PDB file of all heavy atoms in Angstrom:
ATOM      1  N   LEU A1458     -47.290   6.989  27.393  1.00 98.00           N
ATOM      2  CA  LEU A1458     -47.940   6.647  26.132  1.00 98.00           C
ATOM      3  C   LEU A1458     -49.196   7.494  26.005  1.00 98.00           C
ATOM      4  O   LEU A1458     -49.955   7.624  26.975  1.00 98.00           O
ATOM      5  CB  LEU A1458     -48.292   5.165  26.170  1.00 98.00           C
ATOM      6  CG  LEU A1458     -48.784   4.516  24.891  1.00 98.00           C
ATOM      7  CD1 LEU A1458     -47.723   4.598  23.794  1.00 98.00           C
ATOM      8  CD2 LEU A1458     -49.111   3.041  25.165  1.00 98.00           C
ATOM      9  N   LEU A1459     -49.406   8.119  24.830  1.00 98.00           N
ATOM     10  CA  LEU A1459     -50.541   9.034  24.645  1.00 98.00           C
ATOM     11  C   LEU A1459     -51.193   8.713  23.302  1.00 98.00           C
ATOM     12  O   LEU A1459     -50.642   9.057  22.246  1.00 98.00           O
ATOM     13  CB  LEU A1459     -50.062  10.482  24.660  1.00 98.00           C
ATOM     14  CG  LEU A1459     -49.390  10.941  25.961  1.00 98.00           C
ATOM     15  CD1 LEU A1459     -47.985  11.452  25.682  1.00 98.00           C
ATOM     16  CD2 LEU A1459     -50.213  12.015  26.642  1.00 98.00           C
ATOM     17  N   VAL A1460     -52.320   8.036  23.343  1.00 98.00           N
ATOM     18  CA  VAL A1460     -52.982   7.610  22.103  1.00 98.00           C
ATOM     19  C   VAL A1460     -54.302   8.365  21.973  1.00 98.00           C
ATOM     20  O   VAL A1460     -55.158   8.270  22.864  1.00 98.00           O
ATOM     21  CB  VAL A1460     -53.240   6.090  22.119  1.00 98.00           C
ATOM     22  CG1 VAL A1460     -53.999   5.660  20.867  1.00 98.00           C
ATOM     23  CG2 VAL A1460     -51.923   5.331  22.236  1.00 98.00           C
ATOM     24  N   LYS A1461     -54.434   9.134  20.877  1.00 98.00           N
ATOM     25  CA  LYS A1461     -55.719   9.784  20.586  1.00 98.00           C
ATOM     26  C   LYS A1461     -56.300   9.097  19.360  1.00 98.00           C
ATOM     27  O   LYS A1461     -55.796   9.279  18.235  1.00 98.00           O
ATOM     28  CB  LYS A1461     -55.537  11.271  20.272  1.00 98.00           C
ATOM     29  CG  LYS A1461     -55.465  12.146  21.491  1.00 98.00           C
ATOM     30  CD  LYS A1461     -55.532  13.622  21.158  1.00 98.00           C
ATOM     31  CE  LYS A1461     -55.145  14.410  22.391  1.00 98.00           C
ATOM     32  NZ  LYS A1461     -55.116  15.857  22.186  1.00 98.00           N
ATOM     33  N   GLU A1462     -57.354   8.341  19.590  1.00 98.00           N
ATOM     34  CA  GLU A1462     -57.969   7.634  18.467  1.00 98.00           C
ATOM     35  C   GLU A1462     -58.848   8.611  17.671  1.00 98.00           C
ATOM     36  O   GLU A1462     -59.217   9.683  18.179  1.00 98.00           O
ATOM     37  CB  GLU A1462     -58.802   6.460  18.989  1.00 98.00           C
ATOM     38  CG  GLU A1462     -57.999   5.394  19.742  1.00 98.00           C
ATOM     39  CD  GLU A1462     -57.080   4.550  18.844  1.00 98.00           C
ATOM     40  OE1 GLU A1462     -56.875   4.889  17.665  1.00 98.00           O
ATOM     41  OE2 GLU A1462     -56.535   3.545  19.368  1.00 98.00           O
ATOM     42  N   PRO A1463     -59.206   8.271  16.414  1.00 98.00           N
ATOM     43  CA  PRO A1463     -60.048   9.153  15.597  1.00 98.00           C
ATOM     44  C   PRO A1463     -61.314   9.558  16.360  1.00 98.00           C
ATOM     45  O   PRO A1463     -61.899   8.756  17.087  1.00 98.00           O
ATOM     46  CB  PRO A1463     -60.386   8.288  14.383  1.00 98.00           C
ATOM     47  CG  PRO A1463     -59.248   7.319  14.288  1.00 98.00           C
ATOM     48  CD  PRO A1463     -58.810   7.049  15.703  1.00 98.00           C
ATOM     49  N   GLY A1464     -61.705  10.809  16.181  1.00 97.00           N
ATOM     50  CA  GLY A1464     -62.943  11.294  16.799  1.00 97.00           C
ATOM     51  C   GLY A1464     -62.786  11.711  18.252  1.00 97.00           C
ATOM     52  O   GLY A1464     -63.775  11.959  18.928  1.00 97.00           O
ATOM     53  N   THR A1465     -61.547  11.854  18.735  1.00 97.00           N
ATOM     54  CA  THR A1465     -61.330  12.307  20.127  1.00 97.00           C
ATOM     55  C   THR A1465     -61.366  13.836  20.145  1.00 97.00           C
ATOM     56  O   THR A1465     -60.531  14.487  19.527  1.00 97.00           O
ATOM     57  CB  THR A1465     -59.977  11.795  20.668  1.00 97.00           C
ATOM     58  OG1 THR A1465     -59.935  10.373  20.530  1.00 97.00           O
ATOM     59  CG2 THR A1465     -59.796  12.171  22.123  1.00 97.00           C
ATOM     60  N   GLU A1466     -62.347  14.377  20.884  1.00 95.00           N
ATOM     61  CA  GLU A1466     -62.545  15.834  20.853  1.00 95.00           C
ATOM     62  C   GLU A1466     -61.628  16.582  21.811  1.00 95.00           C
ATOM     63  O   GLU A1466     -61.499  17.803  21.720  1.00 95.00           O
ATOM     64  CB  GLU A1466     -64.004  16.155  21.219  1.00 95.00           C
ATOM     65  CG  GLU A1466     -64.977  15.623  20.190  1.00 95.00           C
ATOM     66  CD  GLU A1466     -66.431  15.734  20.646  1.00 95.00           C
ATOM     67  OE1 GLU A1466     -66.677  16.268  21.759  1.00 95.00           O
ATOM     68  OE2 GLU A1466     -67.296  15.282  19.882  1.00 95.00           O
ATOM     69  N   ASN A1467     -61.034  15.860  22.755  1.00 95.00           N
ATOM     70  CA  ASN A1467     -60.208  16.552  23.748  1.00 95.00           C
ATOM     71  C   ASN A1467     -58.929  17.072  23.109  1.00 95.00           C
ATOM     72  O   ASN A1467     -58.168  16.276  22.534  1.00 95.00           O
ATOM     73  CB  ASN A1467     -59.734  15.610  24.860  1.00 95.00           C
ATOM     74  CG  ASN A1467     -60.832  14.769  25.444  1.00 95.00           C
ATOM     75  OD1 ASN A1467     -61.504  14.038  24.718  1.00 95.00           O
ATOM     76  ND2 ASN A1467     -60.994  14.843  26.740  1.00 95.00           N
ATOM     77  N   PRO A1468     -58.655  18.375  23.288  1.00 96.00           N
ATOM     78  CA  PRO A1468     -57.275  18.787  23.017  1.00 96.00           C
ATOM     79  C   PRO A1468     -56.417  18.276  24.168  1.00 96.00           C
ATOM     80  O   PRO A1468     -56.951  17.738  25.144  1.00 96.00           O
ATOM     81  CB  PRO A1468     -57.359  20.332  23.080  1.00 96.00           C
ATOM     82  CG  PRO A1468     -58.487  20.613  24.026  1.00 96.00           C
ATOM     83  CD  PRO A1468     -59.465  19.450  23.875  1.00 96.00           C
ATOM     84  N   THR A1469     -55.129  18.436  24.088  1.00 97.00           N
ATOM     85  CA  THR A1469     -54.279  18.332  25.286  1.00 97.00           C
ATOM     86  C   THR A1469     -54.050  19.783  25.690  1.00 97.00           C
ATOM     87  O   THR A1469     -53.598  20.600  24.877  1.00 97.00           O
ATOM     88  CB  THR A1469     -52.956  17.632  24.948  1.00 97.00           C
ATOM     89  OG1 THR A1469     -53.266  16.395  24.309  1.00 97.00           O
ATOM     90  CG2 THR A1469     -52.125  17.382  26.198  1.00 97.00           C
ATOM     91  N   TYR A1470     -54.420  20.104  26.927  1.00 97.00           N
ATOM     92  CA  TYR A1470     -54.425  21.513  27.352  1.00 97.00           C
ATOM     93  C   TYR A1470     -53.002  22.007  27.617  1.00 97.00           C
ATOM     94  O   TYR A1470     -52.106  21.216  27.939  1.00 97.00           O
ATOM     95  CB  TYR A1470     -55.308  21.658  28.607  1.00 97.00           C
ATOM     96  CG  TYR A1470     -56.770  21.464  28.268  1.00 97.00           C
ATOM     97  CD1 TYR A1470     -57.316  20.190  28.188  1.00 97.00           C
ATOM     98  CD2 TYR A1470     -57.596  22.558  27.987  1.00 97.00           C
ATOM     99  CE1 TYR A1470     -58.654  20.001  27.854  1.00 97.00           C
ATOM    100  CE2 TYR A1470     -58.933  22.372  27.657  1.00 97.00           C
ATOM    101  CZ  TYR A1470     -59.455  21.091  27.585  1.00 97.00           C
ATOM    102  OH  TYR A1470     -60.768  20.916  27.242  1.00 97.00           O
ATOM    103  N   TRP A1471     -52.816  23.318  27.510  1.00 97.00           N
ATOM    104  CA  TRP A1471     -51.487  23.922  27.678  1.00 97.00           C
ATOM    105  C   TRP A1471     -50.934  23.637  29.072  1.00 97.00           C
ATOM    106  O   TRP A1471     -51.611  23.869  30.078  1.00 97.00           O
ATOM    107  CB  TRP A1471     -51.570  25.440  27.473  1.00 97.00           C
ATOM    108  CG  TRP A1471     -51.800  25.830  26.046  1.00 97.00           C
ATOM    109  CD1 TRP A1471     -52.977  26.233  25.483  1.00 97.00           C
ATOM    110  CD2 TRP A1471     -50.824  25.856  24.998  1.00 97.00           C
ATOM    111  NE1 TRP A1471     -52.792  26.502  24.148  1.00 97.00           N
ATOM    112  CE2 TRP A1471     -51.481  26.278  23.830  1.00 97.00           C
ATOM    113  CE3 TRP A1471     -49.460  25.565  24.924  1.00 97.00           C
ATOM    114  CZ2 TRP A1471     -50.837  26.425  22.600  1.00 97.00           C
ATOM    115  CZ3 TRP A1471     -48.801  25.708  23.705  1.00 97.00           C
ATOM    116  CH2 TRP A1471     -49.497  26.123  22.565  1.00 97.00           C
ATOM    117  N   HIS A1472     -49.721  23.156  29.111  1.00 97.00           N
ATOM    118  CA  HIS A1472     -49.054  22.882  30.394  1.00 97.00           C
ATOM    119  C   HIS A1472     -47.554  22.782  30.171  1.00 97.00           C
ATOM    120  O   HIS A1472     -47.090  22.716  29.026  1.00 97.00           O
ATOM    121  CB  HIS A1472     -49.580  21.563  31.002  1.00 97.00           C
ATOM    122  CG  HIS A1472     -49.239  20.351  30.193  1.00 97.00           C
ATOM    123  ND1 HIS A1472     -49.927  19.971  29.049  1.00 97.00           N
ATOM    124  CD2 HIS A1472     -48.248  19.421  30.338  1.00 97.00           C
ATOM    125  CE1 HIS A1472     -49.397  18.874  28.544  1.00 97.00           C
ATOM    126  NE2 HIS A1472     -48.369  18.525  29.304  1.00 97.00           N
ATOM    127  N   GLN A1473     -46.833  22.779  31.283  1.00 98.00           N
ATOM    128  CA  GLN A1473     -45.396  22.457  31.264  1.00 98.00           C
ATOM    129  C   GLN A1473     -45.241  21.117  31.982  1.00 98.00           C
ATOM    130  O   GLN A1473     -46.031  20.805  32.885  1.00 98.00           O
ATOM    131  CB  GLN A1473     -44.599  23.499  32.068  1.00 98.00           C
ATOM    132  CG  GLN A1473     -44.649  24.897  31.487  1.00 98.00           C
ATOM    133  CD  GLN A1473     -44.445  25.933  32.595  1.00 98.00           C
ATOM    134  OE1 GLN A1473     -45.193  25.959  33.570  1.00 98.00           O
ATOM    135  NE2 GLN A1473     -43.449  26.779  32.436  1.00 98.00           N
ATOM    136  N   ASP A1474     -44.214  20.366  31.660  1.00 97.00           N
ATOM    137  CA  ASP A1474     -44.068  19.055  32.309  1.00 97.00           C
ATOM    138  C   ASP A1474     -43.481  19.143  33.718  1.00 97.00           C
ATOM    139  O   ASP A1474     -43.726  18.260  34.552  1.00 97.00           O
ATOM    140  CB  ASP A1474     -43.180  18.131  31.459  1.00 97.00           C
ATOM    141  CG  ASP A1474     -43.935  17.629  30.240  1.00 97.00           C
ATOM    142  OD1 ASP A1474     -45.185  17.723  30.226  1.00 97.00           O
ATOM    143  OD2 ASP A1474     -43.281  17.152  29.299  1.00 97.00           O
ATOM    144  N   HIS A1475     -42.700  20.174  33.993  1.00 96.00           N
ATOM    145  CA  HIS A1475     -41.955  20.242  35.264  1.00 96.00           C
ATOM    146  C   HIS A1475     -42.799  19.921  36.509  1.00 96.00           C
ATOM    147  O   HIS A1475     -42.393  19.090  37.328  1.00 96.00           O
ATOM    148  CB  HIS A1475     -41.306  21.612  35.420  1.00 96.00           C
ATOM    149  CG  HIS A1475     -39.831  21.503  35.628  1.00 96.00           C
ATOM    150  ND1 HIS A1475     -39.276  20.764  36.661  1.00 96.00           N
ATOM    151  CD2 HIS A1475     -38.786  22.021  34.947  1.00 96.00           C
ATOM    152  CE1 HIS A1475     -37.969  20.838  36.575  1.00 96.00           C
ATOM    153  NE2 HIS A1475     -37.636  21.585  35.550  1.00 96.00           N
ATOM    154  N   PRO A1476     -43.985  20.561  36.676  1.00 95.00           N
ATOM    155  CA  PRO A1476     -44.692  20.356  37.950  1.00 95.00           C
ATOM    156  C   PRO A1476     -45.319  18.969  38.101  1.00 95.00           C
ATOM    157  O   PRO A1476     -45.863  18.659  39.157  1.00 95.00           O
ATOM    158  CB  PRO A1476     -45.768  21.446  37.929  1.00 95.00           C
ATOM    159  CG  PRO A1476     -45.989  21.743  36.498  1.00 95.00           C
ATOM    160  CD  PRO A1476     -44.646  21.554  35.829  1.00 95.00           C
ATOM    161  N   TYR A1477     -45.224  18.131  37.060  1.00 94.00           N
ATOM    162  CA  TYR A1477     -45.769  16.775  37.148  1.00 94.00           C
ATOM    163  C   TYR A1477     -44.712  15.771  37.599  1.00 94.00           C
ATOM    164  O   TYR A1477     -45.006  14.583  37.705  1.00 94.00           O
ATOM    165  CB  TYR A1477     -46.298  16.309  35.796  1.00 94.00           C
ATOM    166  CG  TYR A1477     -47.434  17.149  35.265  1.00 94.00           C
ATOM    167  CD1 TYR A1477     -47.181  18.324  34.570  1.00 94.00           C
ATOM    168  CD2 TYR A1477     -48.764  16.761  35.469  1.00 94.00           C
ATOM    169  CE1 TYR A1477     -48.219  19.097  34.086  1.00 94.00           C
ATOM    170  CE2 TYR A1477     -49.800  17.528  34.986  1.00 94.00           C
ATOM    171  CZ  TYR A1477     -49.524  18.698  34.303  1.00 94.00           C
ATOM    172  OH  TYR A1477     -50.545  19.464  33.828  1.00 94.00           O
ATOM    173  N   TYR A1478     -43.497  16.215  37.786  1.00 95.00           N
ATOM    174  CA  TYR A1478     -42.410  15.271  38.079  1.00 95.00           C
ATOM    175  C   TYR A1478     -41.633  15.698  39.306  1.00 95.00           C
ATOM    176  O   TYR A1478     -41.558  16.875  39.642  1.00 95.00           O
ATOM    177  CB  TYR A1478     -41.496  15.136  36.839  1.00 95.00           C
ATOM    178  CG  TYR A1478     -42.275  14.482  35.736  1.00 95.00           C
ATOM    179  CD1 TYR A1478     -42.883  15.244  34.745  1.00 95.00           C
ATOM    180  CD2 TYR A1478     -42.509  13.116  35.764  1.00 95.00           C
ATOM    181  CE1 TYR A1478     -43.687  14.651  33.790  1.00 95.00           C
ATOM    182  CE2 TYR A1478     -43.311  12.515  34.813  1.00 95.00           C
ATOM    183  CZ  TYR A1478     -43.896  13.283  33.832  1.00 95.00           C
ATOM    184  OH  TYR A1478     -44.703  12.693  32.905  1.00 95.00           O
ATOM    185  N   GLU A1479     -41.022  14.700  39.926  1.00 94.00           N
ATOM    186  CA  GLU A1479     -40.290  14.936  41.179  1.00 94.00           C
ATOM    187  C   GLU A1479     -38.841  15.302  40.859  1.00 94.00           C
ATOM    188  O   GLU A1479     -37.910  14.667  41.347  1.00 94.00           O
ATOM    189  CB  GLU A1479     -40.330  13.657  42.015  1.00 94.00           C
ATOM    190  CG  GLU A1479     -41.739  13.222  42.353  1.00 94.00           C
ATOM    191  CD  GLU A1479     -41.749  11.923  43.123  1.00 94.00           C
ATOM    192  OE1 GLU A1479     -41.138  10.951  42.665  1.00 94.00           O
ATOM    193  OE2 GLU A1479     -42.358  11.903  44.191  1.00 94.00           O
ATOM    194  N   VAL A1480     -38.689  16.316  40.050  1.00 96.00           N
ATOM    195  CA  VAL A1480     -37.364  16.660  39.535  1.00 96.00           C
ATOM    196  C   VAL A1480     -37.130  18.161  39.671  1.00 96.00           C
ATOM    197  O   VAL A1480     -37.966  18.958  39.252  1.00 96.00           O
ATOM    198  CB  VAL A1480     -37.249  16.263  38.040  1.00 96.00           C
ATOM    199  CG1 VAL A1480     -35.917  16.727  37.452  1.00 96.00           C
ATOM    200  CG2 VAL A1480     -37.402  14.764  37.864  1.00 96.00           C
ATOM    201  N   ARG A1481     -35.970  18.521  40.212  1.00 96.00           N
ATOM    202  CA  ARG A1481     -35.514  19.907  40.238  1.00 96.00           C
ATOM    203  C   ARG A1481     -34.268  19.947  39.369  1.00 96.00           C
ATOM    204  O   ARG A1481     -33.457  19.016  39.445  1.00 96.00           O
ATOM    205  CB  ARG A1481     -35.174  20.223  41.696  1.00 96.00           C
ATOM    206  CG  ARG A1481     -34.857  21.608  42.024  1.00 96.00           C
ATOM    207  CD  ARG A1481     -35.144  21.906  43.491  1.00 96.00           C
ATOM    208  NE  ARG A1481     -34.182  21.266  44.394  1.00 96.00           N
ATOM    209  CZ  ARG A1481     -34.537  20.652  45.519  1.00 96.00           C
ATOM    210  NH1 ARG A1481     -35.797  20.558  45.893  1.00 96.00           N
ATOM    211  NH2 ARG A1481     -33.621  20.127  46.303  1.00 96.00           N
ATOM    212  N   GLY A1482     -34.112  20.981  38.544  1.00 97.00           N
ATOM    213  CA  GLY A1482     -32.910  21.067  37.696  1.00 97.00           C
ATOM    214  C   GLY A1482     -33.270  21.544  36.305  1.00 97.00           C
ATOM    215  O   GLY A1482     -34.427  21.490  35.888  1.00 97.00           O
ATOM    216  N   ARG A1483     -32.253  22.009  35.572  1.00 97.00           N
ATOM    217  CA  ARG A1483     -32.477  22.555  34.224  1.00 97.00           C
ATOM    218  C   ARG A1483     -32.385  21.470  33.154  1.00 97.00           C
ATOM    219  O   ARG A1483     -33.011  21.588  32.104  1.00 97.00           O
ATOM    220  CB  ARG A1483     -31.399  23.610  33.884  1.00 97.00           C
ATOM    221  CG  ARG A1483     -31.578  24.949  34.537  1.00 97.00           C
ATOM    222  CD  ARG A1483     -32.793  25.708  34.041  1.00 97.00           C
ATOM    223  NE  ARG A1483     -32.764  26.054  32.622  1.00 97.00           N
ATOM    224  CZ  ARG A1483     -33.816  26.513  31.936  1.00 97.00           C
ATOM    225  NH1 ARG A1483     -34.985  26.653  32.537  1.00 97.00           N
ATOM    226  NH2 ARG A1483     -33.719  26.811  30.656  1.00 97.00           N
ATOM    227  N   GLN A1484     -31.581  20.450  33.409  1.00 98.00           N
ATOM    228  CA  GLN A1484     -31.374  19.441  32.349  1.00 98.00           C
ATOM    229  C   GLN A1484     -32.520  18.432  32.393  1.00 98.00           C
ATOM    230  O   GLN A1484     -32.364  17.320  32.923  1.00 98.00           O
ATOM    231  CB  GLN A1484     -30.042  18.715  32.556  1.00 98.00           C
ATOM    232  CG  GLN A1484     -28.831  19.549  32.222  1.00 98.00           C
ATOM    233  CD  GLN A1484     -27.569  18.824  32.662  1.00 98.00           C
ATOM    234  OE1 GLN A1484     -27.459  18.408  33.818  1.00 98.00           O
ATOM    235  NE2 GLN A1484     -26.621  18.662  31.764  1.00 98.00           N
ATOM    236  N   PHE A1485     -33.655  18.843  31.873  1.00 98.00           N
ATOM    237  CA  PHE A1485     -34.848  17.986  31.954  1.00 98.00           C
ATOM    238  C   PHE A1485     -35.651  18.212  30.671  1.00 98.00           C
ATOM    239  O   PHE A1485     -36.092  19.332  30.402  1.00 98.00           O
ATOM    240  CB  PHE A1485     -35.640  18.376  33.210  1.00 98.00           C
ATOM    241  CG  PHE A1485     -36.848  17.512  33.515  1.00 98.00           C
ATOM    242  CD1 PHE A1485     -37.070  16.296  32.894  1.00 98.00           C
ATOM    243  CD2 PHE A1485     -37.767  17.938  34.472  1.00 98.00           C
ATOM    244  CE1 PHE A1485     -38.174  15.514  33.190  1.00 98.00           C
ATOM    245  CE2 PHE A1485     -38.875  17.170  34.787  1.00 98.00           C
ATOM    246  CZ  PHE A1485     -39.079  15.958  34.142  1.00 98.00           C
ATOM    247  N   GLY A1486     -35.793  17.147  29.880  1.00 98.00           N
ATOM    248  CA  GLY A1486     -36.478  17.301  28.594  1.00 98.00           C
ATOM    249  C   GLY A1486     -37.187  16.024  28.189  1.00 98.00           C
ATOM    250  O   GLY A1486     -36.995  14.959  28.794  1.00 98.00           O
TER     251      GLY A1486
END
Side-chain angles (χ1 to χ4, degrees):
L1458 189 61
L1459 299 123
V1460 177
K1461 276 190 192 178
E1462 298 289 11
T1465 305
E1466 295 171 2
N1467 312 57
T1469 307
Y1470 290 83
W1471 289 102
H1472 65 281
Q1473 296 153 303
D1474 285 343
H1475 236 303
Y1477 298 84
Y1478 294 97
E1479 300 177 307
V1480 175
R1481 188 155 72 223
R1483 284 293 297 168
Q1484 287 171 307
F1485 185 13

